[in-house]
Amino acid sequence: RQELPYGTKVLVEPSQNIPPIGSYFYATDFNRDYVVWGPHEERFDWLRMYGLDTYRYLYDRRPTSDEKRNYIASRLALVDWIVMDDTYVQWYNHLPAAEYSVMQQHYKDLFDGRLGFSLDKTFKVYPSLFGYEINDDSSEFTFRLFDHPRVYIFKRTTS
């Protein structure tokens, strides 16, 4: 187990699958919303968490592609770590490229190391039955995402 120091700047995507970090991990309150919503949202909760609103802002068709790219760059510039699950990675991969190319390119560039971050760790918990693990990577999309998404942790490699 590795803990990030107090005040570490982390980018998270608003998702019902957000990995438990900050007080969501160590002092869970089931009556609280831990999702960092909004295109300019941030929360200081042991970690300084910034949202990359891949749903409400980037899924919206009104902002131009340049506005979306600038928004992504502005959010990445704030942080040293990215913690996310594969919900939006998978979702945008299945949407039409003509309308969602900015996000598709963002994820491609992030995983290819072209955004100044490298993949530090990834986690995936598979379902099991009677002690036998079931690799369901090829199963239906929403079953995997909502029940047990893959989690990615990226670390800044350039300043």
Side-chain angles (χ1 to χ4, degrees):
R1 176 180 145 178
Q2 176 185 359
E3 289 190 20
L4 296 175
Y6 179 81
T8 298
K9 297 175 181 177
V10 178
L11 187 71
V12 295
E13 296 179 341
S15 167
Q16 64 277 11
N17 300 329
I18 186 171
I21 58 178
S23 66
Y24 183 32
F25 179 72
Y26 63 81
T28 305
D29 175 356
F30 291 105
N31 296 310
R32 180 175 174 200
D33 182 2
Y34 290 95
V35 178
V36 184
W37 295 109
H40 304 290
E41 185 69 30
E42 70 180 79
R43 179 175 293 145
F44 187 61
D45 178 5
W46 181 264
L47 303 173
R48 188 167 299 279
M49 291 183 280
Y50 296 89
L52 176 67
D53 199 337
T54 49
Y55 182 69
R56 291 185 181 172
Y57 183 75
L58 295 172
Y59 189 68
D60 189 342
R61 294 179 182 169
R62 290 172 292 183
T64 67
S65 292
D66 284 340
E67 289 172 326
K68 290 179 181 186
R69 279 191 280 280
N70 290 338
Y71 167 71
I72 292 168
S74 74
R75 303 312 279 173
L76 293 176
L78 296 171
V79 301
D80 295 313
W81 293 86
I82 300 170
V83 177
M84 59 186 241
D85 62 67
D86 64 348
T87 299
Y88 293 112
V89 174
Q90 293 292 322
W91 189 27
Y92 279 104
N93 188 42
H94 290 85
L95 291 172
E99 296 176 57
Y100 302 103
S101 62
V102 171
M103 284 309 297
Q104 290 171 348
Q105 190 63 51
H106 162 68
Y107 288 122
K108 181 170 180 14
D109 290 346
L110 179 62
F111 282 92
D112 289 346
R114 291 192 292 264
L115 298 179
F117 292 84
S118 65
L119 184 61
D120 189 61
K121 294 189 189 298
T122 186
F123 304 92
K124 173 73 176 181
V125 176
Y126 291 99
S128 63
L129 183 62
F130 304 118
Y132 293 99
E133 185 175 85
I134 302 166
N135 183 324
D136 63 347
D137 286 343
S138 61
S139 67
E140 200 274 326
F141 175 62
T142 55
F143 172 73
R144 291 179 286 120
L145 294 182
F146 296 117
D147 189 57
H148 48 279
R150 185 175 307 275
V151 174
Y152 302 102
I153 301 175
F154 292 87
K155 182 178 183 178
R156 180 175 292 286
T157 56
T158 60
S159 52

